[in-house]
Amino acid sequence: MSNLLTIRGLKIEGRSDETWNPIINGVDLNLKKGEVLGLIGESGAGKSTIGLAAMGYTRDGVRISDGTVEFDGIDLVRASAAVKRGLLGKRIAYVAQSAAASFNPAHKIIDQHTEAPVQHGVDNRASSIEDGIELYRKLRLPNPDEIGFRYPHQVSGGQLQRAMTAMAMSCRPDLIIFDEPTTALDVTTQIEVLASIREIVEEFDTAAIYITHDLAVVAQMADTIKVLLRGDEVEEADTRTMLSAPKEDYTKSLWAVRAFERPAKPAVSTGAVPVVSVRNVTAAYGTTDVLHDVSFDIHAGRTVAVVGESGSGKSTTARCITGLLPPRIGEIAFDGEVLPADYRKRSKDQLRQAQMIYQMADTALNPRKTIGQIIGRPVQFYGGLTGSARRARVDELLEQIELEPSQYFNRLPSELSGGQKQRVGIARALAAEPKFIICDEVTSALDQLVAEGILRLLGDLQDKLGLSYMFITHDLATVKAIADEVVVMKDGKVIEQGPKLDMFTPPHHAYTDLLLSSVPEMDPDWLTNLLQERGVDNIGDAAVDKM
Amino acid sequence: MSSLLTMAIILAAILGGAYVFRFAGQKITNNAPMFRDMGYGVAFGYVLAAALLIWAIWYYFQPLETDAGMKNAGVQFFRWAVQGFIIAAIAAFLFRLFGQFVGTAGTRKLFRSMPLTASFGILVILLYAIVAIFAGAIAPYGQAEILGAANVTAGGDPALGGNPEYPLGTDQIGRDILSRLIYGAQNTVGIAFVTTCLAFFIGGSLGFLAATLQGWLDQLLSRSVDVLMAIPSLIFALLLMTIASVWAVELGVPLTIFMVLIIAVIDSTRVYRLARAVGLNIVVMDYIEAAKLRGEGLGYLVFKEILPNAMAPLLAEFGLRFCFVFLTIAALSFLGVGIQPPLADWGTMVRDLAPFINFAAFAPTAAITPLLAAGAIALLTVAVNFVVDWMLHKSSGLKE
């Protein structure tokens, strides 16, 4: 059978600093009808750029400099705007990462759904609406007859992503490009979206390019996987071969990330005073309680992972501990001593002892300050060091986070990579010489290899300095890697807590079980097996709602 | 009626021309993407621009005198404008070239990526600054010096009532206009600069304070600002200036001081709004939270953490606000309550010299006298806006 999409020697360049720099250096790609190709790689690998180029489109400041993109015999690189207009939306559709940002908030979902079929003359409005409702039903959206008549903000993230898939399907395209469609979703929501995308792509025999950085996800979706690194193809093979026997070292290193795990620590001696003790905390935003009677302890030199989905109250708990949100009931104790609820009433030393590392290193570091200033400020503020003593301490901290001091001292955050920025965030916390650090999703914005490096660094620092961590995360792989104890939260309540080993072995609380079973595994049959085991109506939000 | 008909014919010709242009382009270039994907509106734009260019060239070479022997002032002014434009462009180009080779590594890099408009703006601002600072040395006469002959026309041609000693003529009581223009730079621009700085100090610090502390202080300040902003600013300034002119006499304080204060307060409301909005976006950042949790004081938060990140929009606003303040001063002076005689001021000069415009039909050179001061105002406003546009573009990180 001939190819639906053939890309040959595709070269793409982006413009920065007045010159054209290569982004993609000659990539080939074949896609047959009904086939799903997974594109995988770290950020900057050029996954999305290739995805867009497959539609003959490039972002502003980017151009296709060489190669051909042939879709069903039409060269999209050289095709006129009119020809492309006839194809895009009709025969080639695109599903973006953030459905919330891609839907126009001013129009109802169904109106956006019918736009493409009506514009392309595929269908009239009335029957297109009917078809939309039919697709919503197929994608198992709740209330399919009515959900399309809502505005995008009235629908949850996972449902919106499915509505977007339905929209892409509205003209029954031959090719759909999925650009990280589940990356922004919680695990339990992700699984529903994955299941429905896979089903509908199979049903209509649509070819798809599935772009993601998550290996386990792509293993469920794709027939073949292509691994990319900085604009070059590393290797391509069918999914099973790729998972079981990757050829290249880079692919192997990607696969190995998931194997990282810190050794278990001996149990805490009874009667030891915990470093941080959260006691019966109930907290509210305005008059609505968002935390209900939360209690747990964090012992010296231990890592407590707080796990839960978005909205479960993980970050709110951190805000209570730091004193940004004084609890309505309950208290926070540090080394057995009760802390003032409001951070403004805490002493400088109390503030120093508990530090925080943030999820988004971009917003956590002042973009107008050099690395030396960012790390030097707490050194000066708490330690009173100035001049060369301060410089020496900052250099020492930079060495601890494995950045060369002479090279990085005068740089601005914008001149660092994401992982390096996160390291600077760690150094700033360390500069205060704290006992306890809250890590708020510190690795979720990073590529897997970089994230692993950060986790290893945090582990080494814990061994060296005897730090205690509260590790907020939604990623169970991270929990497995680094936690000593686990606290599972849902709707502002602690559902279950205990040592890591107990948490990962059954029996679980029903919610913990759902959470654990929803994490995609590297086995290509995982999703199929899970759906058989649990049933299509007993996964994701539907299952959560039943609890 | 016939002129309407001519217009319609021209429009139809351009509309048709656009179609022909696109079609011919497609045929000649063998369907190159530029012509193939060209919208009709774009083609229309090209043809319209070409038509305007042809008209401009034709008009430029029209005779300076009509058949009846009258001066054709329109052609004269148009020629001056075109010549001025070309000179400005060349000057801007040379200035940019100069900047690329002289100065620190940082400024040289800046000049390399600078558009011509921005280098023109910077050049004009620099020239104004030099003229304003060294006005005493540059001006041939004093600003209040009465030199005898009144109403000498510009151009220095005795046949037309000019005098080579006063190249731009003298005003209605015999003061040298060139000197007064130069001193006007000092007075008008200098006072506007001081006023804008004051407005930024008041509005900026209060705005950041409101953004950082929020709560009742924010409410109090914001509502007070709303009240001040609800009153049309020029009328409000005029009203306050009238009141102040009584106080100025009673207290023995120059009215100019009052003017600076009044305009600064009125304009600080706009700065407050901006500083608060920008500040609110910054205070939600994690690095502010980190600084708060470190136990940093209010001063450190505002001046070390927030201010550096708000510099780009504030600087851009400074440029625009400077223009507005400057125009307000000129307007107040034009209305007679601003900078008081005998201090030279561009706004007052436009008003005082306005009758000269009647000479346009006889001697275009003489008629430019009131336009010189107005032109000085316009040129600075344009120059500042060019620079502000460029800075905004740079700070927004947009690619061209």
Side-chain angles (χ1 to χ4, degrees):
Chain A
M1 201 167 103
S2 69
N3 283 335
L4 178 69
L5 179 74
T6 315
I7 294 180
R8 285 285 169 270
L10 181 68
K11 285 187 183 162
I12 297 179
E13 295 176 336
R15 192 167 176 81
S16 62
D17 296 334
E18 309 284 302
T19 54
W20 290 97
N21 303 310
I23 298 175
I24 305 291
N25 327 305
V27 167
D28 295 341
L29 190 150
N30 299 309
L31 194 63
K32 292 190 175 62
K33 192 156 173 51
E35 197 179 50
V36 179
L37 172 78
L39 278 184
I40 189 155
E42 299 179 55
S43 46
K47 309 181 293 278
S48 298
T49 313
I50 292 180
L52 291 172
M55 307 194 295
Y57 176 81
T58 54
R59 293 206 173 96
D60 280 348
V62 176
R63 68 171 183 197
I64 297 175
S65 58
D66 198 11
T68 56
V69 176
E70 207 164 282
F71 174 80
D72 204 15
I74 303 160
D75 184 356
L76 291 177
V77 177
R78 276 149 205 97
S80 72
V83 169
K84 278 196 253 183
R85 205 153 42 229
L87 286 176
L88 298 182
K90 186 178 174 189
R91 299 196 59 200
I92 310 178
Y94 180 75
V95 176
Q97 171 167 3
S98 171
S102 303
F103 271 107
N104 187 335
H107 298 282
K108 287 178 182 158
I109 293 169
I110 197 81
D111 293 338
Q112 303 184 47
H113 182 101
T114 57
E115 196 181 347
V118 172
Q119 287 285 323
H120 284 295
V122 173
D123 210 345
N124 63 34
R125 202 180 126 79
S127 77
S128 170
I129 289 177
E130 259 170 55
D131 180 59
I133 292 169
E134 193 50 40
L135 282 170
Y136 295 152
R137 186 165 289 124
K138 282 213 174 81
L139 288 163
R140 269 190 297 284
L141 281 162
N143 310 324
D145 296 324
E146 169 270 329
I147 195 163
F149 297 90
R150 294 193 209 164
Y151 288 95
H153 70 269
Q154 296 169 312
V155 172
S156 80
Q159 291 166 0
L160 212 52
Q161 200 72 50
R162 277 181 277 169
M164 184 123 185
T165 308
M167 187 160 93
M169 277 289 172
S170 63
C171 292
R172 301 293 183 275
D174 300 310
L175 171 66
I176 302 190
I177 311 216
F178 292 98
D179 193 351
E180 308 242 11
T182 61
T183 305
L185 303 176
D186 283 322
V187 277
T188 55
T189 317
Q190 162 172 295
I191 192 169
E192 268 179 325
V193 176
L194 290 181
S196 20
I197 288 180
R198 200 170 71 165
E199 206 177 86
I200 204 151
V201 165
E202 264 169 30
E203 179 173 343
F204 295 112
D205 201 25
T206 314
I209 295 179
Y210 197 97
I211 298 167
T212 180
H213 67 275
D214 190 334
L215 295 157
V217 165
V218 83
Q220 313 309 318
M221 308 302 288
D223 303 316
T224 43
I225 295 180
K226 188 193 276 293
V227 182
L228 295 169
L229 174 65
R230 284 187 225 107
D232 282 309
E233 177 180 328
V234 177
E235 61 178 315
E236 181 180 341
D238 68 89
T239 303
R240 275 167 210 280
T241 321
M242 184 66 105
L243 289 175
S244 53
K247 283 200 214 83
E248 301 293 323
D249 287 341
Y250 174 72
T251 320
K252 284 178 192 157
S253 73
L254 278 181
W255 269 224
V257 170
R258 302 203 155 228
F260 171 62
E261 194 171 337
R262 296 216 336 127
K265 297 195 185 74
V268 181
S269 57
T270 45
V273 180
V275 175
V276 172
S277 182
V278 180
R279 296 176 188 160
N280 308 96
V281 165
T282 298
Y285 286 124
T287 52
T288 325
D289 278 352
V290 287
L291 286 184
H292 308 274
D293 198 24
V294 171
S295 300
F296 57 88
D297 290 338
I298 300 168
H299 287 275
R302 296 306 162 117
T303 304
V304 173
V306 179
V307 192
E309 313 208 278
S310 38
S312 62
K314 309 182 299 275
S315 296
T316 311
T317 312
R319 287 173 69 84
C320 286
I321 296 175
T322 54
L324 283 169
L325 178 72
R328 200 163 64 74
I329 309 168
E331 58 194 22
I332 310 290
F334 195 91
D335 274 342
E337 205 178 307
V338 175
L339 287 177
D342 191 329
Y343 75 94
R344 276 167 285 211
K345 299 203 177 71
R346 292 184 187 171
S347 72
K348 207 166 164 178
D349 196 54
Q350 284 167 334
L351 289 171
R352 181 181 69 78
Q353 292 287 6
Q355 291 293 313
M356 183 134 175
I357 307 171
Y358 295 86
Q359 172 177 10
M360 302 299 297
D362 287 321
T363 62
L365 305 179
N366 191 330
R368 300 278 163 176
K369 293 192 164 192
T370 64
I371 304 309
Q373 287 172 322
I374 289 169
I375 303 175
R377 179 63 191 175
V379 169
Q380 184 178 355
F381 188 76
Y382 293 124
L385 300 179
T386 50
S388 58
R390 172 178 139 156
R391 173 73 203 241
R393 174 73 183 130
V394 172
D395 284 357
E396 192 185 328
L397 285 163
L398 280 171
E399 269 160 28
Q400 271 184 348
I401 55 161
E402 293 154 23
L403 294 180
E404 176 55 41
S406 58
Q407 212 183 333
Y408 290 95
F409 190 85
N410 286 319
R411 287 210 200 173
L412 289 172
S414 56
E415 296 168 297
L416 301 185
S417 71
Q420 288 171 335
K421 277 184 226 169
Q422 199 56 283
R423 280 167 193 264
V424 172
I426 294 172
R428 180 177 60 187
L430 291 179
E433 296 176 30
K435 267 185 159 174
F436 168 64
I437 297 180
I438 299 174
C439 306
D440 190 353
E441 303 265 17
V442 288
T443 55
S444 59
L446 301 173
D447 284 319
Q448 294 185 21
L449 286 174
V450 181
E452 192 205 346
I454 297 285
L455 292 182
R456 281 184 197 276
L457 174 69
L458 285 170
D460 292 345
L461 290 169
Q462 182 168 53
D463 292 342
K464 231 184 285 171
L465 307 169
L467 297 167
S468 308
Y469 296 136
M470 172 176 156
F471 216 94
I472 297 172
T473 184
H474 68 276
D475 178 20
L476 290 158
T478 310
V479 177
K480 241 177 202 158
I482 195 165
D484 298 310
E485 274 154 71
V486 182
V487 175
V488 181
M489 292 189 72
K490 179 178 183 287
D491 300 334
K493 295 186 193 83
V494 174
I495 296 272
E496 207 178 2
Q497 58 176 307
K500 176 172 73 172
L501 209 59
D502 295 357
M503 298 300 291
F504 281 100
T505 37
H508 310 292
H509 181 278
Y511 179 72
T512 315
D513 189 47
L514 180 72
L515 213 53
L516 286 172
S517 67
S518 300
V519 180
E521 285 167 22
M522 297 286 274
D523 172 11
D525 298 322
W526 168 79
L527 184 61
T528 320
N529 293 340
L530 185 82
L531 290 176
Q532 269 169 12
E533 212 175 285
R534 295 190 74 107
V536 282
D537 296 325
N538 207 17
I539 53 167
D541 292 340
V544 174
D545 290 341
K546 283 182 193 163
M547 277 173 204
Chain B
M1 197 60 218
S2 73
S3 69
L4 262 182
L5 198 69
T6 322
M7 293 276 276
I9 291 169
I10 292 172
L11 190 68
I14 296 175
L15 282 168
Y19 190 80
V20 173
F21 168 69
R22 186 172 60 163
F23 186 75
Q26 283 170 349
K27 284 291 158 246
I28 292 166
T29 60
N30 201 11
N31 254 347
M34 183 187 156
F35 284 106
R36 186 191 63 195
D37 296 339
M38 184 183 278
Y40 183 71
V42 177
F44 179 77
Y46 276 117
V47 174
L48 184 66
L52 280 174
L53 190 69
I54 291 167
W55 174 82
I57 293 169
W58 171 79
Y59 191 68
Y60 187 86
F61 290 109
Q62 286 300 298
L64 276 179
E65 286 185 24
T66 55
D67 297 339
M70 294 284 272
K71 293 281 184 189
N72 202 343
V75 177
Q76 181 65 68
F77 285 146
F78 187 70
R79 284 191 191 181
W80 279 334
V82 171
Q83 286 156 2
F85 183 79
I86 293 168
I87 292 169
I90 294 171
F93 181 78
L94 290 177
F95 180 65
R96 186 170 66 172
L97 211 62
F98 174 78
Q100 283 167 359
F101 292 104
V102 181
T104 63
T107 62
R108 279 199 304 245
K109 186 163 183 284
L110 214 59
F111 270 97
R112 223 166 289 142
S113 63
M114 186 183 283
L116 218 50
T117 49
S119 89
F120 171 73
I122 292 174
L123 178 64
V124 169
I125 292 170
L126 274 180
L127 285 179
Y128 271 63
I130 292 169
V131 168
I133 293 165
F134 300 108
I138 297 170
Y141 306 99
Q143 58 177 322
E145 208 175 326
I146 296 171
L147 299 159
N151 292 332
V152 175
T153 58
D157 184 355
L160 292 169
N163 184 339
E165 280 179 40
Y166 317 121
L168 296 182
T170 58
D171 68 5
Q172 73 285 3
I173 54 170
R175 293 172 297 194
D176 180 41
I177 290 174
L178 177 64
S179 306
R180 284 180 65 74
L181 267 180
I182 291 170
Y183 275 103
Q186 198 172 45
N187 297 330
T188 318
V189 179
I191 290 172
F193 185 72
V194 170
T195 310
T196 319
C197 287
L198 196 61
F200 266 74
F201 179 73
I202 301 170
S205 41
L206 288 182
F208 287 141
L209 206 65
T212 316
L213 294 178
Q214 299 179 16
W216 62 267
L217 182 82
D218 181 22
Q219 286 298 326
L220 185 77
L221 286 171
S222 296
R223 296 298 82 76
S224 318
V225 161
D226 286 350
V227 171
L228 286 180
M229 284 177 91
I231 309 167
S233 62
L234 188 61
I235 294 174
F236 194 33
L238 207 60
L239 178 78
L240 291 179
M241 284 303 290
T242 318
I243 300 168
S245 60
V246 179
W247 291 352
V249 176
E250 275 177 19
L251 299 171
V253 180
L255 186 63
T256 311
I257 305 274
F258 279 103
M259 185 181 72
V260 168
L261 289 176
I262 287 167
I263 300 179
V265 168
I266 291 175
D267 270 68
S268 72
T269 56
R270 275 77 177 169
V271 181
Y272 170 88
R273 276 277 162 227
L274 178 80
R276 181 176 171 276
V278 173
L280 277 179
N281 279 334
I282 298 174
V283 292
V284 294
M285 291 290 175
D286 288 337
Y287 55 84
I288 302 293
E289 190 181 296
K292 277 185 188 167
L293 287 178
R294 204 186 301 144
E296 299 283 7
L298 195 60
Y300 181 87
L301 280 179
V302 169
F303 290 107
K304 294 287 171 103
E305 298 278 357
I306 298 177
L307 187 62
N309 289 291
M311 266 335 242
L314 280 186
L315 271 180
E317 174 71 10
F318 188 90
L320 286 180
R321 195 50 50 201
F322 175 73
C323 292
F324 284 125
V325 167
F326 178 75
L327 294 173
T328 311
I329 292 176
L332 285 178
S333 304
F334 179 83
L335 293 170
V337 291
I339 297 169
Q340 295 301 310
L343 288 183
D345 166 74
W346 292 340
T348 326
M349 286 174 73
V350 174
R351 182 188 57 177
D352 289 348
L353 301 173
F356 277 100
I357 203 84
N358 295 325
F359 292 123
F362 314 105
T365 25
I368 61 163
T369 320
L371 298 180
L372 284 172
I377 297 172
L379 190 64
L380 183 61
T381 315
V382 169
V384 169
N385 273 298
F386 275 158
V387 177
V388 166
D389 272 353
W390 171 61
M391 285 196 317
L392 269 181
H393 188 79
K394 263 175 71 77
S395 70
S396 69
L398 289 171
K399 298 251 158 70
E400 45 292 338

